[in-house]
């Protein structure tokens, strides 16, 4: 009797476990089925490497190269800006707040702030970006391009705004993962370094951070994933025209293109949007494979 | 009913409040029941019609068509209405060769098409307002100046006699009906150089209101005090000017039939009756369109 219940329970768990696998499988198949036809119809070189996006023209062109490039540059920029801030915050949390009472208080406030930062919905980031960041950016843009007749003024909705918003949005991920990986570095390693006469700063940058390397990289990769997949906030601050991704150009990213054009699109335009989704999906799959590999490598190092 | 009114106005002292309320609610209930029965009878008569109405044509009319179809099919449960959004020309073509009952077009029916027996029935007018930031000193643009701005040839308001402020050209995303209409009416299809492409009317309003030097376009019905509505060739974007045909950025929404409406099947006639009813008119107005005279 007991055996049968155990068995049944086992099957129930198996079924629930399969839901995730089936979902991923179904999504992958769906994206491929929906995304590949347009790839065939338009042609891979024209679609992936074309730079003209005019899906509703009488002679439509479906080039998404600038859009892919904008996503890559935007994500890279956000990581470049967000990761140093995140890792240094993590160092502050782990190594500078334990000694004094006030330090511990700052640490608890900071941790709470980071938690809250992670919980803020992306549309709020977008709203603040739109109402506060964009006007500031426009002032900067006017100052930099004063008297320039070639530049198209974007009103502050540009790649740089998107990067800044994304950088703030990936901060919690980077800080949390970095903090726990720095904490995981054995105390003996720090003590050994200090005992050899290294200063605290030297210990952190030469010993602790290198020892926590694989964990820090995991944080970076997760940050990349978050930045790449963000749509709502970016849609509100990036301008949305297809352009070369330069800091003061209005840009369209893979995610924002899907969000903004899906509702009214039809025919081949819609099919191409599915291909855009497929490209985004493949990027994310790639990032995740990288993550899995790094985690394995990290485990091996620790063994 | 007279008694009830009297009692409410001059309450009898002998009856207590509770009784009165009971009586009142009984009367209300009865009248509600009566009204619903009458309405039910009416609906039953109309529901005798059954069959299918087919429409094809303009993609710009999708929003209003969907809304009308939903309202119509709720009222006439046995009638199915289907619409294909193939484009104005293709819709009138299908109508001419008899494959659909009604051809939708977001432009006037051309003479060549009228020769094939198509009759133009304007069901609504679509107006687009050009808006800019409130501090803009330029209040009036010619069609040519507007074209120049959207083509990216005019980049500063000072070129148009305004202050030295860069023009931030804001528009809608690919596939938007408003963008389609704007570019078509202005003759700048596929030639616009947008600084921002936003995906909703609200976003365009908000950005134009917040960005000095910005210019944008939206449906006429959403314009409010947060932005400056520009005159075009000296004409204000108002419902009156559109009805009078004086404002340039407007187009008719046509549901063309082959032959007059009176020559159509009962089903099609019921459809047009519905469009002309208060219910139909409300739906058309709610989608931001102007009713023709």
């Amino acid at each position: 009797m007991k055996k049968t219940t155990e068995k049944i329970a086992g099957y129930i768990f198996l079924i629930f476990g399969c839901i995730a696998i089936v979902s991923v499988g179904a999504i992958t198949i769906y994206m491929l089925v929906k995304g590949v036809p347009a790839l065939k119809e338009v042609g891979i070189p024209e679609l992936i490497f074309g730079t003209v996006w005019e899906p509703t023209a009488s002679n439509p062109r479906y080039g998404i190269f600038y859009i892919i490039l904008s996503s890559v540059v935007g994500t890279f920029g956000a990581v470049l800006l967000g990761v140093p801030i995140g890792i240094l915050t993590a160092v502050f949390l782990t190594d500078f707040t334990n000694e004094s009472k006030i330090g511990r208080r700052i640490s608890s406030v900071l941790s709470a702030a980071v938690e809250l930062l992670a919980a803020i919905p992306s549309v709020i980031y977008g709203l603040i970006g739109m109402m506060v960041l964009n006007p500031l950016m426009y002032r900067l843009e006017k100052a930099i391009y004063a008297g320039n007749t070639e530049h198209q003024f974007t009103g502050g909705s540009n790649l740089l705004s998107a990067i800044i918003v994304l950088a703030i949005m990936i901060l919690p991920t980077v800080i949390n993962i970095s903090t726990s990986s720095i904490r995981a570095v054995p105390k003996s390693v720090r003590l050994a370094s200090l005992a050899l006469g290294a200063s605290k700063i030297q210990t952190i940058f030469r010993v602790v951070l290198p020892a926590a390397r694989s964990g820090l990289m995991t944080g970076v990769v997760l940050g990349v994933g978050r930045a790449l997949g963000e749509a709502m906030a970016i849609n509100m601050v990036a301008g949305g025209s297809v352009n070369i991704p330069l800091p003061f150009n209005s840009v369209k990213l893979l995610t924002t293109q899907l969000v903004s054009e899906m509702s009214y699109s039809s025919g081949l335009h819609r099919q191409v949007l599915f291909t855009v989704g497929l490209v985004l999906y493949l990027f994310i799959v790639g990032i995740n494979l990288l993550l899995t590999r790094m985690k394995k490598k990290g485990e091996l190092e620790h063994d | 009913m007279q008694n009830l009114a009297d009692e409410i106005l001059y309450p009898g002292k002998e009856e207590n409040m509770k009784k009165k309320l009971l009586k009142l609610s009984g009367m209300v209930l009865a009248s509600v029941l009566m009204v619903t029965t009458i309405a039910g009878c009416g609906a039953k008569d109309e529901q005798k019609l059954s069959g299918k109405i087919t429409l094809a044509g303009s993609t710009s009319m999708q929003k209003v068509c969907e809304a009308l179809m939903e309202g119509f099919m709720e009222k006439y449960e046995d009638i199915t209405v289907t619409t294909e959004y193939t484009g104005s020309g293709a819709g009138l073509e299908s109508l001419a060769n008899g494959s659909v009952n009604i051809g939708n077009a977001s432009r006037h029916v051309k003479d060549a098409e009228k020769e094939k027996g198509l009759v133009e029935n304007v069901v609504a007018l679509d107006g687009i307002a050009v808006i800019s930031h409130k501090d803009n000193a330029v209040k009036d643009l010619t069609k040519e100046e507007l074209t120049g701005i959207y083509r990216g040839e005019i980049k500063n308001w000072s070129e148009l006699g305004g202050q030295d402020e860069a023009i931030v050209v804001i528009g809608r995303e690919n596939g938007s009906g408003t963008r389609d209409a704007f570019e078509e009416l202005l003759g700048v299809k596929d030639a616009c150089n947008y600084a921002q492409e936003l995906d909703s009317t609200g976003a365009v309003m908000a950005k134009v209101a917040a960005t000095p030097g910005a210019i944008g376009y939206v449906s006429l019905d959403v314009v409010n005090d947060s932005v400056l509505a520009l005159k075009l060739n000296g004409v204000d974007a108002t419902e009156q000017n559109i009805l009078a045909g004086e404002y340039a950025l407007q187009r008719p929404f046509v549901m063309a039939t082959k032959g007059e409406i009176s020559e159509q099947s009962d089903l099609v006639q019921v459809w047009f009756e519905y469009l002309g009813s208060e219910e139909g008119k409300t739906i058309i107005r709610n989608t931001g369109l102007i009713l023709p005279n």
Side-chain angles (χ1 to χ4, degrees):
Chain A
M1 187 58 196
K2 200 177 176 189
K3 238 180 176 175
T4 12
T5 16
E6 291 280 310
K7 241 184 188 171
I8 291 168
Y11 281 122
I12 291 173
F13 285 124
L14 179 69
I15 289 166
F16 282 121
C18 283
I19 290 175
I21 299 172
V22 170
S23 305
V24 168
I27 290 170
T28 310
I29 291 168
Y30 185 83
M31 289 314 296
L32 285 172
V33 168
K34 285 287 202 176
V36 170
L39 215 50
K40 273 188 199 155
E41 197 159 330
V42 181
I44 294 176
E46 159 80 21
L47 188 76
I48 304 290
F49 298 109
T51 54
V52 183
W53 176 253
E54 283 175 353
T56 50
S58 43
N59 186 18
R61 303 277 298 276
Y62 301 98
I64 60 169
F65 185 66
Y66 284 163
I67 298 164
I68 298 176
L69 208 59
S70 298
S71 260
V72 172
V73 173
T75 306
F76 186 73
V79 167
L80 213 59
L81 194 64
V83 165
I85 299 175
I87 292 182
L88 293 187
T89 308
V91 168
F92 176 73
L93 274 174
T94 51
D95 287 62
F96 286 89
T97 54
N98 294 324
E99 281 113 42
S100 63
K101 208 175 174 188
I102 194 151
R104 279 192 290 275
R105 191 166 294 163
I106 292 174
S107 159
S108 68
V109 171
L110 186 55
S111 304
V114 172
E115 301 262 312
L116 195 59
L117 212 53
I120 293 172
S122 56
V123 64
I124 302 286
Y125 283 102
L127 198 63
I128 294 170
M130 187 171 154
M131 300 324 267
V132 179
L133 187 60
N134 283 349
L136 288 175
M137 276 294 153
Y138 192 32
R139 280 199 202 158
L140 191 62
E141 185 182 10
K142 275 179 173 170
I144 290 174
Y145 289 96
N148 187 327
T149 50
E150 287 306 303
H151 179 71
Q152 182 182 39
F153 283 87
T154 60
S157 300
N158 51 33
L159 179 66
L160 202 54
S161 298
I163 286 177
I164 293 172
V165 170
L166 281 179
I168 297 171
M169 290 182 79
I170 66 170
L171 270 184
T173 316
V174 178
I175 293 173
N176 284 334
I177 304 223
S178 306
T179 309
S180 54
S181 64
I182 293 172
R183 286 222 168 101
V185 175
K187 207 171 181 184
S188 55
V189 174
R190 286 167 211 257
L191 291 178
S193 168
L194 291 170
L196 284 169
S199 70
K200 192 171 178 185
I201 300 295
Q202 283 173 328
T203 306
I204 289 165
F205 283 101
R206 300 278 172 84
V207 179
V208 177
L209 290 185
R213 196 177 52 224
S214 75
L216 297 181
M217 282 308 291
T218 307
V220 171
V221 173
L222 280 176
V224 168
R226 170 112 212 244
L228 200 59
E230 177 51 40
M232 183 47 98
I234 300 313
N235 199 25
M236 294 167 85
V237 300
S241 296
V242 179
N243 280 310
I244 306 172
L246 294 175
F248 286 97
N249 275 1
S250 159
V251 291
K252 186 168 252 182
L253 280 64
L254 290 167
T255 46
T256 60
Q257 189 182 24
L258 280 182
V259 169
S260 69
E261 292 188 12
M262 205 43 138
S263 51
Y264 291 122
S265 64
S266 58
L268 190 55
H269 181 190
R270 174 163 285 236
Q271 287 185 324
V272 172
L273 289 182
F274 275 108
T275 311
V276 170
L278 181 64
V279 171
L280 181 65
Y281 184 66
L282 292 179
F283 265 112
I284 296 288
V285 169
I287 298 282
N288 272 280
L289 288 179
L290 191 69
L291 191 67
T292 326
R293 179 176 284 184
M294 273 170 31
K295 271 185 181 158
K296 260 188 194 149
K297 211 176 148 200
E299 277 162 21
L300 285 177
E301 271 173 19
H302 281 294
D303 290 341
Chain B
M1 283 310 244
Q2 188 59 45
N3 284 340
L4 182 72
D6 282 347
E7 263 170 47
I8 291 168
L9 290 172
Y10 318 102
K13 279 169 191 161
E14 66 275 19
E15 274 186 304
N16 64 26
M17 204 59 196
K18 212 173 173 183
K19 258 189 190 164
K20 241 187 290 174
L21 273 177
L22 264 174
K23 203 168 174 185
L24 182 67
S25 53
M27 294 285 265
V28 170
L29 192 69
S31 54
V32 165
L33 273 176
M34 224 157 81
V35 170
T36 36
T37 327
I38 293 166
C41 282
K44 241 174 222 162
D45 278 336
E46 283 160 351
Q47 273 171 20
K48 274 175 195 160
L49 276 172
S50 69
K52 199 173 165 186
I53 308 173
T54 51
L55 290 80
S58 171
T59 47
S60 310
M61 288 167 69
Q62 179 160 4
K63 200 169 145 197
V64 68
C65 281
E66 298 287 333
L68 285 169
M69 277 156 64
E70 198 185 317
F72 183 82
M73 287 196 276
E74 208 166 89
K75 194 169 176 188
Y76 302 93
E77 286 173 356
D78 293 337
I79 304 178
T80 322
V81 188
T82 61
T83 310
E84 280 178 58
Y85 304 102
T86 50
S88 298
L92 294 179
E93 183 79 30
S94 319
L95 176 66
N97 62 36
S99 54
V100 295
N101 303 124
I102 295 168
N104 295 336
S106 49
R107 58 165 168 79
H108 284 292
V109 177
K110 292 173 187 162
D111 287 343
E113 289 159 342
K114 282 182 181 163
E115 276 166 25
K116 293 177 197 162
L118 304 194
V119 174
E120 175 180 292
N121 312 301
V122 178
V123 297
L125 293 170
D126 186 19
I128 297 170
V130 179
I131 54 171
S132 89
H133 190 264
K134 282 196 98 167
D135 296 341
N136 188 8
V138 180
K139 316 274 183 206
D140 191 348
L141 289 176
T142 66
K143 222 175 154 181
E144 289 68 38
E145 287 167 342
L146 188 60
T147 313
I149 290 174
Y150 272 89
R151 279 175 178 275
E153 290 150 5
I154 302 173
K155 294 188 166 191
N156 199 300
W157 288 108
S158 61
E159 294 171 53
L160 301 167
Q163 64 267 62
D164 179 23
E165 181 84 62
I167 303 179
V168 178
V169 182
I170 295 177
R172 291 287 305 276
E173 83 283 8
N174 282 303
S176 149
T178 314
R179 169 168 167 166
D180 191 47
F182 178 83
E183 293 188 354
E184 206 174 288
L185 291 168
L186 206 58
V188 288
K189 199 140 178 51
D190 318 327
C192 283
N193 194 4
Y194 291 107
Q196 290 188 31
E197 289 177 38
L198 307 175
D199 59 9
S200 74
T201 304
V204 173
M205 288 289 288
K207 285 276 187 179
V208 170
T211 314
I215 187 169
Y217 52 77
V218 289
S219 273
L220 190 67
D221 62 309
V222 299
V223 175
N224 61 28
D225 290 343
S226 67
V227 293
L228 173 74
L230 295 174
K231 286 185 190 178
L232 200 57
N233 289 337
V235 181
D236 269 316
T238 60
E239 202 172 315
Q240 289 88 326
N241 287 337
I242 284 176
L243 285 171
E246 281 165 10
Y247 183 70
L249 286 180
Q250 62 158 309
R251 57 178 178 173
F253 278 179
V254 170
M255 289 195 175
T257 45
K258 203 171 184 179
E260 296 295 334
I261 295 175
S262 52
E263 301 164 19
Q264 306 297 315
S265 69
D266 287 349
L267 289 173
V268 174
Q269 289 197 24
V270 168
W271 170 260
F272 279 100
E273 258 168 44
Y274 181 75
L275 296 193
S277 70
E278 273 313 309
E279 208 178 328
K281 282 179 178 172
T282 310
I283 291 175
I284 292 172
R285 241 185 261 119
N286 284 347
T287 49
L289 299 171
I290 297 163
L291 291 166
N293 284 329

